[in-house]
Amino acid sequence: MAFKTLAALLAVAGSIQLSNAALTRRVACPDGVNTATNAACCPLFAVRDDIQQNMFSGGQCLAEAHESLRLVFHDAIAISNKAGNVGGADGSIMVFDTIETGFHPNIGLDEIINLQKPFVAKHNITPGDFIHFAGAVAVSNCPGAPRIPFFFGRPAPTAAAPDGLVPEPFHTVEQILDRFADAGPVGFEDVEVVWALSAHTVAAANDVDPNVPGTPFDSTPTLFDTQFFVETQLAGTHFVGQTAANGEAESAIVGVMRLQSDHLLARDQRTNCEWQSFVNNPTKLHDRFSDVLLKLSLLGHDQNTMVDCSEVIPVPQILTSPAFFPPSTSRANVEQACVGTPFPVLRTAPGPATSVPPVPKPN
C-alpha cells in the first residue's frame, strides 16, 4: 500500500513538473535568433535592437534616454479619478502631440516625440506600447538601474488628455500630492510620489531654464544611483543661471539644477523620511522605482488583459559604488528634515568642487 501511495505521489509530482514545463516552454521567434515565453513578445526584440542602436546610440544613458523616461511619466500621469479615468499610459501625447505638447509642463517633449515617431511607424506598434517600452529600455541603459517590467497590449488612444494633469516644479507639495492621489483608479500614496521622483537620478532640465539646457538634477546624471537623494538635502548656495528660473531652488553643486518641488518634498513632513530612506540604499531604490514605474505604465489599462514581455528588456549594468558627499560638502551641509532618523554616514569625495557639465546629446 505504501508503495502504491508513493507511486501515486510521484506520478502527481511528475505531472506537475510537466505542467510547469509546458507553462514555461519557450517558443522560437520568426527572426531565428530569439525565443520568448509568449510569441506575442517576439516583435519587440527587433524594436529593442533598433532603438538601442539608432535612438540610444548603442545603449547609452544620455539625453534621448532621459527624455524617453520623462515621456513615460508625462503620458501616463494624465489621467484623473475626478474626470472618469480616461487616458493614462495610452500614447495620446504622441498621437495628439499638436495639442498635448502645447501644455506648459510638456514643453520640449516634441523633440523626443518626433524622434520616436518613425520607429512607431516602422515597427507597426501602438504609440502607447512604444512609449512605455522605450522608457523601460532607456532605463536599462543607465548603470545601476533596475530592470523595469513591461506589459504589452495597449490600444491606440482615442482622445487627447486634458490639460492640467501633469505636476510642475513650481507647484506646492499639496498640489503635487493631490494630483498623484487623483491619478488612476487607486491613485498614488505620498511615499509613491517619492518613488516616482527617483527618475530624477538620471534626468536633466532643458526647459525649466532654456538658457542652460541639459542641466542635470544631480552630479551623476548617467548613473542610476542615490546621489539625487543625497544632494537635494544639502543646503543650496546658488542657481544654475544668472537668476532663478520659475520652479528652481538653490542647488548645492555648481552645474546642477534643483527643482523647487524636489527641494520641498525632501523637507516636507509627509515625505522627508521616505526621501532620506533612499540615501545609499540602492536595493530600495531598485525595488520601489520598478514598482512605481510599472504602476504608471499600466494607468488606464487592465494588466490581466496584457502580455508580460519583461524578458525583452535588457539587464542593466550593476553599480556597486556607494553614495557620497560631493567635494567640499559634508554632513554639516545636510538640512536634516526627517526627525528621529539619523542621516546615513557617507564619505566626502576627494578633490576641489568642480562644475558638473550638462548632459550631452549623442552626435
Side-chain angles (χ1 to χ4, degrees), residues 131-168:
I131 286 173
H132 296 278
F133 179 72
V137 174
V139 172
S140 77
N141 292 330
C142 304
R147 190 186 198 191
I148 303 300
F150 173 73
F151 282 76
F152 187 43
R154 293 165 185 79
T158 58
D163 197 2
L165 298 182
V166 181
E168 301 217 51

Short mmCIF file of all heavy atoms in Angstrom, two decimals, residues 131-168:
data_model
loop_
_atom_site.label_atom_id
_atom_site.label_comp_id
_atom_site.label_asym_id
_atom_site.label_seq_id
_atom_site.Cartn_x
_atom_site.Cartn_y
_atom_site.Cartn_z
N ILE A 131 5.98 54.00 -26.36
CA ILE A 131 6.48 54.95 -25.37
C ILE A 131 6.91 54.23 -24.10
O ILE A 131 7.99 54.51 -23.54
CB ILE A 131 5.39 56.00 -25.06
CG1 ILE A 131 5.27 56.99 -26.23
CG2 ILE A 131 5.71 56.75 -23.76
CD1 ILE A 131 4.12 57.97 -26.08
N HIS A 132 6.12 53.29 -23.63
CA HIS A 132 6.42 52.65 -22.35
C HIS A 132 7.45 51.53 -22.50
O HIS A 132 8.20 51.26 -21.56
CB HIS A 132 5.12 52.22 -21.69
CG HIS A 132 4.27 53.42 -21.35
ND1 HIS A 132 4.47 54.17 -20.23
CD2 HIS A 132 3.29 54.05 -22.06
CE1 HIS A 132 3.64 55.20 -20.23
NE2 HIS A 132 2.91 55.15 -21.34
N PHE A 133 7.54 50.95 -23.67
CA PHE A 133 8.62 50.00 -23.94
C PHE A 133 9.94 50.75 -24.06
O PHE A 133 10.95 50.36 -23.45
CB PHE A 133 8.33 49.24 -25.23
CG PHE A 133 9.40 48.24 -25.61
CD1 PHE A 133 9.56 47.06 -24.90
CD2 PHE A 133 10.24 48.48 -26.70
CE1 PHE A 133 10.55 46.14 -25.25
CE2 PHE A 133 11.22 47.57 -27.05
CZ PHE A 133 11.37 46.40 -26.33
N ALA A 134 9.95 51.83 -24.82
CA ALA A 134 11.18 52.61 -24.98
C ALA A 134 11.65 53.18 -23.65
O ALA A 134 12.85 53.27 -23.39
CB ALA A 134 10.95 53.75 -25.99
N GLY A 135 10.71 53.55 -22.78
CA GLY A 135 11.09 54.05 -21.47
C GLY A 135 11.78 53.00 -20.63
O GLY A 135 12.78 53.28 -19.96
N ALA A 136 11.27 51.77 -20.67
CA ALA A 136 11.89 50.68 -19.92
C ALA A 136 13.28 50.35 -20.47
O ALA A 136 14.22 50.10 -19.72
CB ALA A 136 11.00 49.44 -19.95
N VAL A 137 13.41 50.36 -21.79
CA VAL A 137 14.72 50.11 -22.41
C VAL A 137 15.68 51.24 -22.07
O VAL A 137 16.86 51.01 -21.77
CB VAL A 137 14.58 49.95 -23.94
CG1 VAL A 137 15.95 49.85 -24.60
CG2 VAL A 137 13.75 48.71 -24.28
N ALA A 138 15.18 52.48 -22.09
CA ALA A 138 16.02 53.63 -21.75
C ALA A 138 16.61 53.49 -20.36
O ALA A 138 17.81 53.73 -20.14
CB ALA A 138 15.20 54.91 -21.86
N VAL A 139 15.79 53.11 -19.39
CA VAL A 139 16.26 52.95 -18.01
C VAL A 139 17.35 51.88 -17.94
O VAL A 139 18.33 52.03 -17.20
CB VAL A 139 15.09 52.58 -17.07
CG1 VAL A 139 15.59 52.22 -15.68
CG2 VAL A 139 14.10 53.74 -16.98
N SER A 140 17.21 50.83 -18.73
CA SER A 140 18.18 49.73 -18.68
C SER A 140 19.57 50.17 -19.13
O SER A 140 20.56 49.50 -18.84
CB SER A 140 17.71 48.56 -19.56
OG SER A 140 17.91 48.83 -20.95
N ASN A 141 19.66 51.29 -19.82
CA ASN A 141 20.95 51.78 -20.30
C ASN A 141 21.73 52.54 -19.23
O ASN A 141 22.90 52.89 -19.46
CB ASN A 141 20.76 52.70 -21.52
CG ASN A 141 20.27 51.94 -22.74
OD1 ASN A 141 20.57 50.77 -22.90
ND2 ASN A 141 19.51 52.61 -23.58
N CYS A 142 21.11 52.80 -18.11
CA CYS A 142 21.74 53.57 -17.04
C CYS A 142 22.31 52.61 -15.99
O CYS A 142 21.55 51.90 -15.33
CB CYS A 142 20.73 54.51 -16.40
SG CYS A 142 19.93 55.63 -17.58
N PRO A 143 23.64 52.54 -15.85
CA PRO A 143 24.24 51.64 -14.87
C PRO A 143 23.65 51.84 -13.48
O PRO A 143 23.47 52.97 -13.03
CB PRO A 143 25.72 52.03 -14.90
CG PRO A 143 25.93 52.57 -16.29
CD PRO A 143 24.65 53.30 -16.61
N GLY A 144 23.33 50.73 -12.83
CA GLY A 144 22.74 50.76 -11.51
C GLY A 144 21.23 50.70 -11.49
O GLY A 144 20.62 50.58 -10.43
N ALA A 145 20.60 50.77 -12.67
CA ALA A 145 19.13 50.80 -12.73
C ALA A 145 18.53 49.42 -12.52
O ALA A 145 19.18 48.39 -12.74
CB ALA A 145 18.69 51.35 -14.08
N PRO A 146 17.26 49.37 -12.12
CA PRO A 146 16.55 48.09 -12.09
C PRO A 146 16.08 47.72 -13.49
O PRO A 146 16.04 48.57 -14.39
CB PRO A 146 15.35 48.39 -11.19
CG PRO A 146 15.07 49.84 -11.43
CD PRO A 146 16.43 50.48 -11.64
N ARG A 147 15.74 46.47 -13.67
CA ARG A 147 15.14 46.02 -14.92
C ARG A 147 13.63 46.23 -14.80
O ARG A 147 12.96 45.59 -13.98
CB ARG A 147 15.47 44.55 -15.16
CG ARG A 147 15.10 44.04 -16.55
CD ARG A 147 15.32 42.54 -16.63
NE ARG A 147 15.39 42.04 -17.99
CZ ARG A 147 15.37 40.75 -18.31
NH1 ARG A 147 15.29 39.84 -17.35
NH2 ARG A 147 15.44 40.37 -19.56
N ILE A 148 13.10 47.15 -15.58
CA ILE A 148 11.71 47.56 -15.44
C ILE A 148 10.78 46.55 -16.12
O ILE A 148 10.99 46.19 -17.28
CB ILE A 148 11.50 48.95 -16.07
CG1 ILE A 148 12.44 49.98 -15.42
CG2 ILE A 148 10.04 49.38 -15.92
CD1 ILE A 148 12.26 50.16 -13.94
N PRO A 149 9.73 46.09 -15.44
CA PRO A 149 8.76 45.19 -16.09
C PRO A 149 8.02 45.92 -17.21
O PRO A 149 7.79 47.13 -17.13
CB PRO A 149 7.79 44.84 -14.95
CG PRO A 149 8.50 45.19 -13.69
CD PRO A 149 9.40 46.34 -14.03
N PHE A 150 7.68 45.16 -18.25
CA PHE A 150 6.92 45.75 -19.36
C PHE A 150 5.80 44.82 -19.77
O PHE A 150 6.02 43.64 -20.05
CB PHE A 150 7.81 46.03 -20.57
CG PHE A 150 7.02 46.48 -21.78
CD1 PHE A 150 6.48 47.75 -21.81
CD2 PHE A 150 6.79 45.62 -22.84
CE1 PHE A 150 5.71 48.17 -22.90
CE2 PHE A 150 6.04 46.02 -23.93
CZ PHE A 150 5.50 47.30 -23.96
N PHE A 151 4.58 45.37 -19.81
CA PHE A 151 3.41 44.63 -20.27
C PHE A 151 2.94 45.23 -21.59
O PHE A 151 2.85 46.45 -21.74
CB PHE A 151 2.31 44.67 -19.21
CG PHE A 151 2.55 43.70 -18.08
CD1 PHE A 151 3.49 44.00 -17.09
CD2 PHE A 151 1.87 42.49 -18.01
CE1 PHE A 151 3.74 43.12 -16.06
CE2 PHE A 151 2.12 41.60 -16.98
CZ PHE A 151 3.06 41.91 -15.99
N PHE A 152 2.62 44.34 -22.54
CA PHE A 152 2.37 44.66 -23.93
C PHE A 152 0.87 44.55 -24.24
O PHE A 152 0.21 43.62 -23.78
CB PHE A 152 3.16 43.67 -24.78
CG PHE A 152 3.19 43.91 -26.25
CD1 PHE A 152 3.36 45.17 -26.79
CD2 PHE A 152 3.07 42.83 -27.14
CE1 PHE A 152 3.42 45.37 -28.16
CE2 PHE A 152 3.13 43.02 -28.51
CZ PHE A 152 3.31 44.29 -29.01
N GLY A 153 0.33 45.50 -25.01
CA GLY A 153 -1.05 45.35 -25.45
C GLY A 153 -1.93 46.57 -25.26
O GLY A 153 -3.13 46.44 -25.03
N ARG A 154 -1.36 47.76 -25.36
CA ARG A 154 -2.15 48.99 -25.23
C ARG A 154 -2.81 49.32 -26.56
O ARG A 154 -2.14 49.40 -27.58
CB ARG A 154 -1.25 50.16 -24.80
CG ARG A 154 -0.69 50.02 -23.40
CD ARG A 154 0.47 50.98 -23.16
NE ARG A 154 1.08 50.75 -21.86
CZ ARG A 154 1.93 49.77 -21.59
NH1 ARG A 154 2.29 48.92 -22.56
NH2 ARG A 154 2.42 49.61 -20.38
N PRO A 155 -4.10 49.58 -26.55
CA PRO A 155 -4.75 50.01 -27.79
C PRO A 155 -4.37 51.44 -28.12
O PRO A 155 -3.83 52.18 -27.28
CB PRO A 155 -6.25 49.91 -27.46
CG PRO A 155 -6.32 50.09 -25.98
CD PRO A 155 -5.05 49.48 -25.43
N ALA A 156 -4.65 51.86 -29.33
CA ALA A 156 -4.38 53.24 -29.74
C ALA A 156 -5.28 54.19 -28.96
O ALA A 156 -6.44 53.86 -28.67
CB ALA A 156 -4.60 53.40 -31.23
N PRO A 157 -4.80 55.37 -28.62
CA PRO A 157 -5.63 56.32 -27.88
C PRO A 157 -6.72 56.90 -28.77
O PRO A 157 -6.60 56.95 -29.99
CB PRO A 157 -4.63 57.39 -27.47
CG PRO A 157 -3.59 57.36 -28.55
CD PRO A 157 -3.46 55.91 -28.93
N THR A 158 -7.78 57.35 -28.13
CA THR A 158 -8.91 57.89 -28.88
C THR A 158 -9.09 59.39 -28.71
O THR A 158 -9.85 60.01 -29.46
CB THR A 158 -10.21 57.19 -28.46
OG1 THR A 158 -10.40 57.37 -27.04
CG2 THR A 158 -10.15 55.69 -28.77
N ALA A 159 -8.41 59.96 -27.72
CA ALA A 159 -8.57 61.40 -27.48
C ALA A 159 -7.34 61.94 -26.76
O ALA A 159 -6.60 61.19 -26.11
CB ALA A 159 -9.82 61.66 -26.65
N ALA A 160 -7.15 63.23 -26.87
CA ALA A 160 -6.06 63.87 -26.15
C ALA A 160 -6.38 63.94 -24.67
O ALA A 160 -7.54 64.02 -24.27
CB ALA A 160 -5.83 65.29 -26.70
N ALA A 161 -5.34 63.90 -23.86
CA ALA A 161 -5.53 64.09 -22.43
C ALA A 161 -5.87 65.55 -22.15
O ALA A 161 -5.45 66.44 -22.88
CB ALA A 161 -4.25 63.70 -21.68
N PRO A 162 -6.63 65.80 -21.09
CA PRO A 162 -6.92 67.21 -20.76
C PRO A 162 -5.71 67.90 -20.15
O PRO A 162 -4.80 67.25 -19.63
CB PRO A 162 -8.05 67.09 -19.73
CG PRO A 162 -7.91 65.72 -19.16
CD PRO A 162 -7.35 64.85 -20.25
N ASP A 163 -5.68 69.18 -20.24
CA ASP A 163 -4.58 69.97 -19.66
C ASP A 163 -4.72 70.01 -18.13
O ASP A 163 -5.80 69.75 -17.58
CB ASP A 163 -4.63 71.39 -20.22
CG ASP A 163 -3.34 72.15 -20.01
OD1 ASP A 163 -2.38 71.58 -19.44
OD2 ASP A 163 -3.28 73.33 -20.42
N GLY A 164 -3.62 70.29 -17.46
CA GLY A 164 -3.65 70.49 -16.02
C GLY A 164 -3.42 69.25 -15.18
O GLY A 164 -3.60 69.30 -13.96
N LEU A 165 -3.04 68.12 -15.79
CA LEU A 165 -2.87 66.88 -15.04
C LEU A 165 -1.42 66.49 -14.78
O LEU A 165 -1.17 65.52 -14.08
CB LEU A 165 -3.59 65.73 -15.77
CG LEU A 165 -5.10 65.87 -15.92
CD1 LEU A 165 -5.67 64.63 -16.61
CD2 LEU A 165 -5.78 66.10 -14.58
N VAL A 166 -0.48 67.23 -15.33
CA VAL A 166 0.94 66.93 -15.12
C VAL A 166 1.51 67.91 -14.10
O VAL A 166 1.49 69.12 -14.32
CB VAL A 166 1.74 67.01 -16.44
CG1 VAL A 166 3.21 66.67 -16.19
CG2 VAL A 166 1.15 66.07 -17.49
N PRO A 167 2.03 67.42 -12.97
CA PRO A 167 2.59 68.32 -11.95
C PRO A 167 3.77 69.12 -12.51
O PRO A 167 4.49 68.67 -13.40
CB PRO A 167 3.06 67.37 -10.85
CG PRO A 167 2.28 66.11 -11.06
CD PRO A 167 2.08 66.02 -12.54
N GLU A 168 3.97 70.31 -11.96
CA GLU A 168 5.06 71.18 -12.40
C GLU A 168 5.98 71.51 -11.22
O GLU A 168 5.55 71.45 -10.06
CB GLU A 168 4.49 72.46 -13.02
CG GLU A 168 3.58 72.17 -14.21
CD GLU A 168 3.72 73.21 -15.31
OE1 GLU A 168 4.86 73.49 -15.73
OE2 GLU A 168 2.67 73.74 -15.73
#
